[in-house]
Amino acid sequence: MVARAFLLVTCEHGGNRVPKEYRRVFAGWESVLASHRGYDPGALTLARALARAFDAPLVASTVTRLLVELNRSPGHPQLHSEVTRGLSRPEKARIAARYYEPYRREVEQRVAEATAARRRVIHISAHSFVPVLNGCTRNADIGLLYDPGRPAERVLCARWSQCLRARASRLRVRRNYPYRGYADGLTTHLRRRYGRHGYVGVEIEVNQKHVLAGERQWRMLREVLVQSVGDIVYGASR
């Protein structure tokens, strides 16, 4: 589909690790850290599988999103959680300098180098979501988040949905669900910096019920997802 595509895989919420210097701040928050609010279970495993299968660069974080939210822009109300929101401005600046800025900078550098070489970047950001939120059941197995105003992303996600259904007909794949792909986030930020033809950014959201259903089921789903990425990025012959 895409000539000379450059696949980049990222995982902003890969773990719930608390750096040693902030463990006192997180005392009493252990149950929240272990929940979806602390990280995206399964997302890092999927990201690693994709990167390994296609020899693609992987940029991932295992520091909890409750320290600083890598998938939000500077100044966004959710950049800092209820745990760190009350820290002093200098302390927040130190957190940004140590954990936020290097991550975002590495991703941007990867995209910049590829676009400078006239390669189209296909950026897949791996995430997962809880099956039930605030009493509401999420009716999807896989969500593909993108900007419908960008034709390349719209076409890619339509094809991705088709490929997933062809490989696993029982999967319920929905686009821009359970979140909107054009809301504030890393992919949205990168779209603003790079043209419509140079950058294609998609967040994949996996229902955590598959992650928690047991290793066999989760492994089978990962294999389907990896195969579908091969279909859309490199063609079925890959």
Side-chain angles (χ1 to χ4, degrees):
M1 173 187 170
V2 180
R4 301 183 66 224
F6 174 81
L7 179 63
L8 172 65
V9 182
T10 70
C11 185
E12 289 70 56
H13 307 144
N16 58 359
R17 181 172 63 87
V18 177
K20 183 177 180 180
E21 62 269 34
Y22 296 104
R23 288 175 186 168
R24 58 174 178 79
V25 177
F26 281 85
W29 291 91
E30 290 78 12
S31 62
V32 179
L33 281 165
S35 74
H36 71 279
R37 293 171 63 193
Y39 75 120
D40 283 0
L44 184 57
T45 304
L46 173 60
R48 285 172 171 162
L50 289 171
R52 182 170 55 251
F54 303 108
D55 195 25
L58 169 63
V59 184
S61 172
T62 59
V63 173
T64 178
R65 65 196 298 180
L66 294 172
L67 183 69
V68 63
E69 172 56 270
L70 300 177
N71 205 31
R72 293 291 177 265
S73 298
H76 192 279
Q78 294 178 358
L79 181 67
H80 298 284
S81 71
E82 63 269 41
V83 185
T84 58
R85 198 169 295 137
L87 295 176
S88 67
R89 185 172 297 180
E91 192 62 57
K92 289 178 183 176
R94 280 192 288 271
I95 291 172
R98 178 79 180 273
Y99 301 102
Y100 180 88
E101 292 166 9
Y103 185 92
R104 304 271 292 209
R105 190 162 52 242
E106 182 178 357
V107 175
E108 290 195 34
Q109 182 177 349
R110 297 277 190 175
V111 176
E113 290 173 352
T115 54
R118 298 179 180 273
R119 300 182 69 184
R120 174 176 286 188
V121 175
I122 296 181
H123 171 202
I124 298 177
S125 176
H127 297 265
S128 67
F129 64 94
V130 289
V132 179
L133 184 66
N134 299 326
C136 296
T137 300
R138 264 82 172 270
N139 295 314
D141 297 296
I142 304 293
L144 302 176
L145 314 187
Y146 66 103
D147 184 348
R150 293 171 70 94
E153 293 183 9
R154 188 171 64 246
V155 170
L156 183 141
C157 286
R159 288 201 62 219
W160 199 353
S161 296
Q162 292 171 356
C163 290
L164 282 169
R165 293 191 184 101
R167 289 188 174 275
S169 59
R170 293 184 178 181
L171 281 181
R172 183 167 188 182
V173 183
R174 298 183 63 176
R175 284 174 272 172
N176 280 331
Y177 181 91
Y179 309 105
R180 295 174 299 172
Y182 46 91
D184 181 74
L186 181 55
T187 53
T188 300
H189 166 74
L190 292 168
R191 290 180 193 123
R192 296 192 186 108
R193 295 205 58 183
Y194 299 95
R196 291 174 179 263
H197 301 292
Y199 173 81
V200 175
V202 177
E203 293 182 59
I204 180 169
E205 292 272 0
V206 177
N207 193 318
Q208 290 172 14
K209 70 181 182 181
H210 297 289
V211 179
L212 303 175
E215 176 54 30
R216 182 175 181 275
Q217 179 175 325
W218 176 215
R219 184 180 66 252
M220 291 174 63
L221 177 57
R222 290 199 308 273
E223 290 173 356
V224 168
L225 292 172
V226 168
Q227 291 163 358
S228 70
V229 170
D231 292 340
I232 63 168
V233 178
Y234 300 106
S237 61
R238 175 67 185 242

